[in-house]
Amino acid sequence: MTMASTSEDTRILILATLSGGYAGANAVGQMHASYAPNTYILPVMSPAMFSEDFYLRAFERGIDAILVMYSGTDSPYKGDAEHTAQMINRVYPLMTERGINTRRLRLVAICTVCTAAFQKEIRQMNDTLAEIGPVRAELAAPHEQSA
Amino acid sequence: MSEKDIRIGAYVCYCGGNISDVVDCEQVAETLRGLPNVVVVRTDLSMCSDAGQSLIEEDIKEKGVNRVVVGACAPSLHEVTFRKAVARAGLNPYLYHHVCLREQDSWVHQSNPDEATAKAGRLMLAGIAKARMLEQLDTIRLEAEQHALVIGGGIAGLRTAWDAAQRGIRVTLIEKSPFLGGHMAQLETIFPTGENARQALHELIEKVVSHFLVTVYTNAELTSARGYMGDFRVTITAQPRGVAEDFAHFDEAAAACPVEVPDDFNYGLTTRKAIYLRYPDAIPNTPAIDWKACTRCGECKKVNGTGIDLDGKPQTIDLTVGAVVVATGFQPYQPREGEFGYGQFPEVVTLPQMIRLMTMQEGNGKLTWNGHPVNNIALIHCVGSREIPGVHEPQEDGRVNDYCSRICCTATLQMTNELHERFPYINLFDLHEDIRTYSRGHEDIYTEASKNGVRFLRFHGDERPEVTAAPPDDTSPLLVRVKDYLTWGKELEVPADLVVLATGMMPNPVSDIVKLLKITEGNDRFLLEVHPKLQPVETAVPGVILAGTAQGPMNIQETCSAASAAAAKVGVLLGQGQVSLEPFVARVNHDLCDGSGQCVAVCAYEDAIALEPVLVDGKTVQKAVVSPANCVGCGVCVSVCPNHAIDVQGWTLEQYEAMVDAITADLPKLEVVE
Ligand SMILES: Cc1cc2nc3c(=O)[nH]c(=O)nc-3n(C[C@H](O)[C@H](O)[C@H](O)COP(=O)(O)OP(=O)(O)OC[C@H]3O[C@@H](n4cnc5c(N)ncnc54)[C@H](O)[C@@H]3O)c2cc1C
């Protein structure tokens, strides 16, 4: 599968904090570095606002992978990093229940200058997608436990 | 507003070729034309130019556009520009959405123009989907007390106080210890200017304490805080000084005091009494009682009973302030017992101790330590800095100091230069991982050290030098073993009469302030700003601002710049007597709220959300109510509401869902050509 067809076939949603991942993404841009174009970055104040439903709905709508690029221990908001991690942990069993491979969802701490980590996460998620394919196949299949 | 009345203007910026060289902006625009609610679609060479902004303003006025989406550079650059343009045309500035097509598309997909174009199309569609749901929002306006509390009386706090007062803001400065000046008072000649530290410091202190808008409390700490930007209610507790301002018998009282404790001004190299002056011309120049050390035996009072009060009670001061500046500074890293021989061999001292030792050493003849002549000195960099997890022993909290303390390289080299100047016969060995003389004028200090014949030895971070006792017949008491990578890994032994550890910086422990003000510490334990580049002195709590080394290692120049930035921020926030906050805070839909209180339970911010009685159909029921001034908009409450009754204004779940739908939708007009 070429990069172009990967991009058309799969879509990675990136929820990136304004104080971390979103600024990190801009730093990658300022370097004119490159990464796969099947990536759609939405800025968030904090991903702590998303409940389990949001992630499940996104997969059901055809988002193949979600990278939550939060600010981790560098978050300016009290307690939101722990809360985000708790929320994501609650999503995994629900994904499994619905037959969605849990490798499609990853929580990673990305800082404003974490350009290499930003690119690596996208590369790795695309490798995962090349291996497990688009989410639609899983949603269409009868619900069996996936990884 | 009904859906049919929504009239969106969508603008795709070429960014002078930065976007259009990769993204086919015309094709993107073509995709957007005819979409529901989209009444204007334009491309422009430079939307941020005056002409570009005028296009938007005209479309609002003449074509009835009431939602605006611009695809351009990163929002950090021009989101505010476009919000202002929208506002100039009479539209609410929050009916604007910014899409990043440059940093997150054209600049990163240069070799893939077709896909970059398809992505731009989807991003614009997502922006338009959000724009359909945008609502008018108003900034939160609060009355602001034109009064700032500055915590910490080091150079950072003093400089903040002075600059803020110069802007017409009343300042209360509190210093925990009985004397002003912080660590700068313990320095002598300071890099890179070669000035005398205390002289420069005293000039500023005199100006600050005599400014009519500044009140200073020493021996004082913040003990409670409530409220929000513009209206913080704080309590300060000031311990008594114990000595009257006009007390004239200090020398006799100190001589009479039977208590002797290590003198922290000299980093424990000397001792002092429980009644003390930090140094002879310390400010305030009234002695103080060290209450932790004092046994209240009363011997000092016997000298002259009237000027000393050992039974004074703490004073509490309640204030209303508009902003709080945290300038609580740093403490030098304290090496562990045995770390590089510290505490094990009396010949191992820290750099701060060495600075004090040099001032205690009279004249320029012979340097002695512990009664022994000093002929060889080894100075070791990066002690308590740039430590490697898994290699170096963690501290009590399980963390190592993996950051660079920034000032120690130049301070160490400056020490070698001073040693060379005063004691040119001494052999100086500088053991470093790297030399980071990063700032203007600092490299000159390194060059001078090289010219002075300092011998540089370079070790690897995971192979730090080892300090051991020398064999009894050696002339120097210590040997420093180092694998030197400037000689391709040769194992060398350096004789040392004195070993100086260039200890790094750690933040002063301020967990009480962190808790009271609801601010955060980073992984390195320094206080955390919202964004290191775009909001470098602001915390996530509006109105709480950082200054100086409480935020990270800085030299005096950087500390003063940070302090001036903090004061400027205070001036901007409070200068008008009114503050405006972004409206991105939680909002509760009372039709959906069932008063479960889960939102209140998870919120980390005091008074941001609470259950309050609300009248519904003649009955009083409990509903969640947000205090916009205390809410930071993190959205933790949103995710736990079982009824989806809470949202963050301007960043609603519905808007995110609409954007996800747009991203996953097909783009018939933008098929990728393979
Ligand atoms: C060995 C060494 C050599 C240096 N040499 C140089 C040099 O030559 N040139 C140079 O530019 N820089 C030098 N520096 C750096 C310089 O010392 C700092 O940049 C500067 O002192 C930082 O000032 P500050 O106000 O941020 O912190 P501090 O000096 O630490 O002041 C903080 C103040 O806050 C007070 N405080 C703490 N907690 C509270 C509380 N809870 N309530 C109230 N008050 C509180 C403290 O008592 C202290 O007075 C050197 C540093 C070291 C360690």
Side-chain angles (χ1 to χ4, degrees), chain B residues 151-157 174-177 179-184 187 189-192 220-222 267 278 327-332 351-352 355 407 411 414 503-505 508-510 512-513 547-550 554-557 559:
Chain B
I151 308 174
I155 184 72
I174 58 170
E175 164 56 45
K176 181 169 78 170
S177 77
F179 303 98
L180 294 170
H183 286 98
M184 188 170 161
L187 302 176
T189 307
I190 43 173
F191 66 73
E221 286 185 80
L222 179 72
Y267 296 102
R278 197 176 181 214
T328 47
F330 75 101
Q331 54 179 353
L351 180 60
I355 292 173
I407 53 101
Q414 154 135 321
T503 45
M505 277 186 173
N508 258 327
V510 283
D512 48 345
I513 288 179
T549 54
M554 297 180 192
N555 60 41
I556 295 165
Q557 199 179 357
T559 300

Side-chain angles (χ1 to χ4, degrees), chain B residues 349-369:
Chain B
V349 297
T350 64
L351 180 60
Q353 285 178 318
M354 187 67 195
I355 292 173
R356 301 306 316 142
L357 198 153
M358 289 288 275
T359 58
M360 291 187 276
Q361 188 81 29
E362 277 171 24
N364 291 355
K366 290 275 175 202
L367 180 66
T368 56
W369 173 241

Side-chain angles (χ1 to χ4, degrees), chain B residues 338-400:
Chain B
E339 188 176 0
F340 296 101
Y342 186 81
Q344 185 183 0
F345 306 115
E347 297 82 5
V348 180
V349 297
T350 64
L351 180 60
Q353 285 178 318
M354 187 67 195
I355 292 173
R356 301 306 316 142
L357 198 153
M358 289 288 275
T359 58
M360 291 187 276
Q361 188 81 29
E362 277 171 24
N364 291 355
K366 290 275 175 202
L367 180 66
T368 56
W369 173 241
N370 256 356
H372 298 293
V374 175
N375 294 309
N376 299 301
I377 300 182
L379 301 102
I380 304 177
H381 289 236
C382 291
V383 177
S385 299
R386 299 182 66 198
E387 294 173 324
I388 306 167
V391 172
H392 296 117
E393 198 177 318
Q395 293 172 36
E396 268 173 24
D397 63 2
R399 288 183 269 187
V400 295

